Amino acid sequence: MTGNQTAQGPKHKQDPTRRKVVVAGGAAVAAVGVGGALAMTASADETTASATSTASSTSSSAEVCYKLTSETTEGPYYIDADKIRQDITEDKEGIPLTLTLKVIDSETCKPIRDAAVDIWHCDALGIYSGYESLSTGGGGTAPTGAPSGTPTGEPPSGAPSGGPGGGGVHEEPTDDERYLRGTWKTDKQGRVTFKTIFPGWYRGRCVHIHTKVHVDGEWTDAGYEGGHACHTGQFFFDEESVLASAEVEPYATSTTERTTLTEDTIYDQSGTQGGLLRLKYNKKNIAKGVVGSLTVGVAPDETNDGT
């Protein structure tokens, strides 16, 4: 990894079989925004369906713990920490997305500071940097229809030939581009924020962002060294937001067949526990920007590299 931060890696001792995510006072609040501060609170399914214990009635700031965020495949297009940066947009066109994550220890419910968080995703037309010749983007017509939650036809059974899919077999980069990729360090509250764009889609997968969380390494002048990946996952977008994005250029020029959230073979349909982001945006004008957030519970003593 490369960069210019210095810090000591976290140390963890816990039973990794107990997995839960903490939200203070029953709601995770992220004070970030696009063009200004924008508050977000936990969605109803996180505060009810995923709860594994209830807050103490004697304290308004009591902690409520939730299940560990789902592990998923790494996918074929991971590039190890090429860019230590928060703004990963480069020159890519698309709807601005501010993504704020909070990484916590799934045993103690305490935030993990100085973890290295990677994110990477395709551009508005389904192309991955580093693998432009292998990606399957397209231009033409946006997806149509309303999000009903009921898929039509059979779900896809894997990656299309020559295109990015959900598989764990790593591909070597085919070019030097590195847009929409980056790594950054969590602060003392376990939070990390990235600036990027709303991802597009490609054949066989719903709209998503890949992520890895590395712990027990060291931040040096050269970047982040050592440690291990304790979490490999993906973040997902609800159908309403995806359909809204499809009305905005350049997404609206895509002719690529779109897989819905309920059809996807990687998303486990478990809501925020499965990586479904909480999103905030102007429902009448998503083009102004989207704020996404999620609390990510990890088992720091485990190795989950997604391969």
Side-chain angles (χ1 to χ4, degrees), residues 34 87-98 121-127 179-180 195-201 207 237 241 244-253 285-291:
V34 178
D87 189 337
I88 66 174
T89 309
E90 293 193 15
D91 61 350
K92 302 308 291 184
E93 295 182 358
I95 298 166
L97 171 65
T98 298
H121 61 84
C122 69
D123 69 7
L125 293 178
I127 305 298
Y179 52 81
L180 307 180
K195 297 286 187 179
T196 184
I197 64 169
F198 198 101
W201 57 90
V207 176
F237 296 77
S241 66
S245 74
E247 301 298 321
V248 179
E249 298 226 0
Y251 309 88
T253 66
N285 190 1
I286 194 172
K288 287 186 174 180
V290 177
V291 175

Side-chain angles (χ1 to χ4, degrees), residues 165-203:
V169 179
H170 179 71
E171 296 280 354
E172 290 302 314
T174 60
D175 60 67
D176 294 329
E177 298 292 340
R178 294 297 183 266
Y179 52 81
L180 307 180
R181 297 177 179 273
T183 303
W184 199 251
K185 177 172 61 175
T186 57
D187 64 18
K188 63 182 179 181
Q189 295 178 322
R191 289 192 174 90
V192 61
T193 297
F194 292 96
K195 297 286 187 179
T196 184
I197 64 169
F198 198 101
W201 57 90
Y202 50 86
R203 183 171 169 265

Side-chain angles (χ1 to χ4, degrees), residues 80-124:
D80 185 14
D82 251 27
K83 297 289 186 180
I84 305 298
R85 58 185 181 179
Q86 288 181 282
D87 189 337
I88 66 174
T89 309
E90 293 193 15
D91 61 350
K92 302 308 291 184
E93 295 182 358
I95 298 166
L97 171 65
T98 298
L99 179 66
T100 293
L101 308 170
K102 181 177 182 180
V103 181
I104 63 104
D105 186 315
S106 62
E107 166 62 19
T108 65
C109 292
K110 294 181 179 180
I112 297 178
R113 69 182 300 174
D114 295 335
V117 179
D118 302 328
I119 68 167
W120 70 101
H121 61 84
C122 69
D123 69 7

Side-chain angles (χ1 to χ4, degrees), residues 130-304:
Y131 302 90
E132 291 185 340
S133 65
L134 299 181
S135 299
T136 53
T141 306
T144 59
S148 64
T150 303
T152 58
E154 293 297 320
S157 58
S161 176
V169 179
H170 179 71
E171 296 280 354
E172 290 302 314
T174 60
D175 60 67
D176 294 329
E177 298 292 340
R178 294 297 183 266
Y179 52 81
L180 307 180
R181 297 177 179 273
T183 303
W184 199 251
K185 177 172 61 175
T186 57
D187 64 18
K188 63 182 179 181
Q189 295 178 322
R191 289 192 174 90
V192 61
T193 297
F194 292 96
K195 297 286 187 179
T196 184
I197 64 169
F198 198 101
W201 57 90
Y202 50 86
R203 183 171 169 265
R205 288 302 316 279
C206 68
V207 176
H208 63 282
I209 293 175
H210 292 269
T211 189
K212 277 183 180 286
V213 178
H214 307 264
V215 295
D216 291 333
E218 182 179 3
W219 289 95
T220 71
D221 289 342
Y224 189 82
E225 300 177 354
H228 66 279
C230 67
H231 174 70
T232 300
Q234 297 180 28
F235 304 126
F236 301 95
F237 296 77
D238 61 56
E239 280 292 288
E240 182 181 8
S241 66
V242 173
L243 286 170
S245 74
E247 301 298 321
V248 179
E249 298 226 0
Y251 309 88
T253 66
S254 176
T255 57
T256 303
E257 179 184 2
R258 188 176 67 87
T259 298
T260 67
L261 192 64
T262 50
E263 292 172 323
D264 193 74
T265 57
I266 301 300
Y267 175 57
D268 64 10
Q269 312 299 322
S270 65
T272 50
Q273 181 188 335
L276 185 64
L277 292 168
R278 298 186 301 274
L279 303 176
K280 185 76 173 181
Y281 58 93
N282 184 332
K283 297 299 178 66
K284 295 182 179 180
N285 190 1
I286 194 172
K288 287 186 174 180
V290 177
V291 175
S293 70
L294 194 69
T295 298
V296 182
V298 303
D301 283 349
E302 295 183 7
T303 296
N304 291 299

